[in-house]
């Protein structure tokens, strides 16, 4: 099955935008191997918008000759030789969001080209397409059928920003993940154009994940957009002055609770140790990648404190206590709120510490915008 667990990897957009080039992609692949990201489970290296040079007289897309001088097949070979997977980007309309040629009415040709190059993943955007649900189902269905017809296993990422409730039809249209929101921002709160990481409490974005847990599972995931972790305000494309280390931790932990695709957005060639620690927390990643494939959800909210849970395989639970307040808070998760009854062994998977056993509750003293995440195992 394609995307039996949420895809993990890296995408060029958040950090490099229109400046993406083959050198950056190769160095990113090398950094995946040398920096422990591959070992932590990250596999896909996705070249987002602006790789296209044009469409030739033969009808085929070709890459920008200055920035991808050796072509895309050579780049894919480089990535594959390191045991990693290669992703590309196109758009269901006539042009990409960046105004490059896109795949509308070239679905079969482009799918064949991508497969010939060795693509393992296609992110498919929605700019300039006729913006109706019928057209979305039609266009995404058409591209996924064209990808399937190539015989190559290509993960299909639908990116219509949640406009037409893709969680209701994305799997039928052959999607393995579908964006549920507009573009993420690199800040805790909303910033103009982009949503903040956790967005204003009453706002959209992060809050848009509510209720969508019924529509995620092995092979088809809700996608609340790529990780802003580690951008530190240095993005060439997305807005925001950065988050604090605690906020990035919370952002990552919640994406894991949400069984979200984990697509890194920062420059992994220059990972500081704090960012590396967040991105390679294997116990949090294990929550994200749990084989049961259930998306976590909020079970209660008390002022600024929230209680979240994620059912795991084997009768275990992921549980998170989240403090959205600007001051410290003590948060509690009672078994009755979590609708569980047994005695559990409690492991803090954020801090990698055992917390004993309980048959009633977990509590945590949380930093502003902090979060504690636990794995509960029947004792
Ligand atoms: C849209 C998508 C982004 C990115 C850009 C590229 O905004 O939502 O993730 O792919 O287009 O132009």
């Amino acid at each position: 099955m394609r995307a039996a667990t949420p895809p993990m990897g890296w995408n060029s957009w958040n950090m490099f935008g229109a400046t993406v080039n083959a050198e950056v992609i190769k160095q990113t692949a090398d950094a995946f191997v040398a920096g422990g990201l591959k070992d932590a489970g990250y596999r896909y290296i996705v070249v987002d918008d602006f790789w296209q040079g044009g469409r030739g007289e033969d009808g085929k897309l070709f890459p920008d000759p200055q920035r991808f001088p050796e072509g895309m097949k050579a780049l894919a070979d480089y990535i594959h030789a390191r045991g990693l997977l290669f992703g590309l980007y196109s758009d269901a309309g006539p042009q990409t969001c960046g105004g490059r040629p896109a795949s509308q009415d070239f679905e079969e040709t482009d799918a064949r080209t991508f497969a010939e190059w060795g693509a393992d993943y296609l992110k498919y955007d929605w700019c300039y397409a006729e913006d109706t649900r019928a057209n979305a189902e039609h266009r995404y269905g058409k591209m996924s059928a064209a990808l399937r017809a190539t015989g190559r296993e290509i993960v299909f990422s639908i990116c219509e920003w949640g406009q037409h409730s893709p969680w209701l039809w994305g799997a039928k249209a052959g999607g393995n993940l579908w964006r549920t929101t507009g573009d993420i921002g690199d800040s805790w709160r909303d910033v103009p154009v982009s949503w903040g990481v956790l967005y204003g409490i009453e706002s959209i974005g992060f809050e848009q994940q509510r209720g969508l847990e019924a529509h995620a599972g092995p092979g088809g995931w809700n996608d609340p957009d790529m990780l802003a972790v580690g951008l530190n305000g240095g993005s060439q494309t997305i807005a925001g002055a950065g988050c604090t280390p605690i906020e990035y931790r919370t952002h990552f932990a919640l994406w894991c609770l949400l069984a979200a695709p984990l697509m890194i957005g920062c420059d992994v060639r220059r990972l500081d140790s704090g960012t590396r620690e967040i991105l390679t927390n294997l116990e949090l990643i294990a929550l994200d990648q749990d084989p049961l494939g259930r998306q976590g959800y909020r079970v209660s909210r008390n002022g600024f404190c929230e209680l979240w849970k994620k059912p795991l395989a084997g009768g275990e639970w992921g549980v998170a206590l989240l403090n959205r307040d600007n001051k410290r808070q003590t948060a509690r998760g009672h078994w009755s709120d979590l609708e569980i009854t047994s005695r559990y062994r409690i492991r803090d998977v954020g801090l990698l510490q055992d917390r004993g056993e309980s048959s009633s509750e977990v509590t945590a003293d949380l930093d502003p915008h902090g979060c504690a995440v636990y794995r509960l195992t029947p004792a």
Side-chain angles (χ1 to χ4, degrees):
M1 180 196 277
R2 287 177 296 156
T5 59
M8 294 174 64
W10 175 90
N11 175 301
S12 61
W13 180 251
N14 281 1
M15 187 67 202
F16 297 100
T19 70
V20 62
N21 61 64
E23 233 15 69
V24 163
I25 298 299
K26 288 183 183 176
Q27 290 167 1
T28 296
D30 292 341
F32 258 51
V33 177
L37 294 171
K38 182 185 171 197
D39 286 342
Y42 296 93
R43 284 288 180 281
Y44 293 96
I45 298 204
V46 181
V47 184
D48 206 278
D49 205 354
F50 289 98
W51 63 264
Q52 308 85 344
R55 194 177 286 284
E57 277 169 14
D58 58 359
K60 286 167 117 179
L61 288 171
F62 58 86
D64 183 301
Q66 261 80 52
R67 286 182 290 110
F68 296 91
E70 292 164 4
M72 290 324 223
K73 172 86 173 66
L75 190 57
D77 289 348
Y78 189 95
I79 290 170
H80 289 149
R82 281 147 189 81
L84 301 169
L85 298 164
F86 174 55
L88 272 173
Y89 162 101
S90 191
D91 185 291
Q95 286 179 54
T96 69
C97 298
R100 299 292 163 124
S103 300
Q104 180 177 305
D105 298 329
F106 288 91
E107 286 88 353
E108 284 82 10
T109 310
D110 290 355
R112 271 198 304 273
T113 305
F114 301 153
E116 279 163 21
W117 287 343
D120 307 292
Y121 185 111
L122 179 67
K123 172 175 169 182
Y124 208 47
D125 217 337
W126 190 235
C127 280
Y128 303 106
E130 187 200 322
D131 194 17
T132 63
R133 172 159 168 181
N135 191 46
E137 290 188 55
H138 167 59
R139 289 291 167 188
Y140 283 102
K142 195 163 177 205
M143 184 44 114
S144 81
L147 293 172
R148 249 195 329 277
T150 68
R152 194 175 166 84
E153 179 146 318
I154 300 175
V155 164
F156 189 43
S157 157
I158 293 177
C159 178
E160 54 80 276
W161 321 302
Q163 299 271 96
H164 304 290
S165 311
W167 44 90
L168 298 179
W169 51 265
K172 216 169 91 217
N176 301 111
L177 57 157
W178 38 84
R179 279 272 294 276
T180 54
T181 67
D183 292 4
I184 199 168
D186 184 20
S187 77
W188 182 258
R189 297 256 171 241
D190 294 357
V191 282
V193 187
S194 310
W195 317 121
V197 164
L198 282 223
Y199 322 97
I201 284 192
E202 306 307 335
S203 178
I204 52 177
F206 181 67
E207 287 298 312
Q208 276 175 295
Q209 312 314 310
R210 250 186 311 163
L212 301 191
E213 61 275 4
H215 307 290
W221 308 98
N222 291 310
D223 174 9
D225 204 6
M226 301 169 288
L227 297 165
V229 177
L231 286 170
N232 298 321
S235 166
Q236 306 203 9
T237 33
I238 66 169
C243 297
T244 66
I246 287 169
E247 291 167 346
Y248 280 140
R249 261 174 209 286
T250 296
H251 167 29
F252 187 75
L254 287 170
W255 261 232
C256 292
L257 246 281
L258 286 169
L262 298 178
M263 300 304 281
I264 299 170
C266 67
D267 186 350
V268 300
R269 302 169 308 167
R270 299 188 181 85
L271 279 189
D272 58 82
S273 59
T275 303
R276 188 186 310 277
E277 201 185 306
I278 294 175
L279 294 173
T280 60
N281 179 324
L282 299 183
E283 297 192 24
L284 274 173
I285 291 173
L287 289 193
D288 181 77
Q289 298 287 305
D290 183 76
L292 191 60
R294 296 279 304 276
Q295 176 174 326
Y297 48 96
R298 181 167 62 211
V299 296
S300 66
R301 180 199 266 178
N302 179 4
F304 286 97
C305 289
E306 299 185 2
L307 177 61
W308 286 65
K309 80 171 179 184
K310 180 184 197 294
L312 303 175
E316 294 185 283
W317 296 96
V319 169
L321 296 168
L322 166 66
N323 175 17
R324 290 170 85 153
D325 204 350
N326 295 328
K327 48 183 196 293
R328 293 188 73 81
Q329 291 281 0
T330 301
R332 278 172 206 289
H334 286 285
W335 278 199
S336 56
D337 292 325
L338 289 162
E339 295 184 322
I340 57 176
T341 47
S342 313
R343 185 167 185 83
Y344 289 93
R345 220 165 358 101
I346 302 170
R347 170 84 174 162
D348 184 325
V349 292
L351 297 177
L352 306 175
Q353 283 167 7
D354 290 326
R355 291 277 310 269
E357 292 183 4
S358 174
S359 23
S360 59
E361 64 168 16
V362 278
T363 61
D365 189 22
L366 297 173
D367 289 316
H369 302 173
C371 155
V373 186
Y374 307 100
R375 177 186 278 265
L376 305 190
T377 308

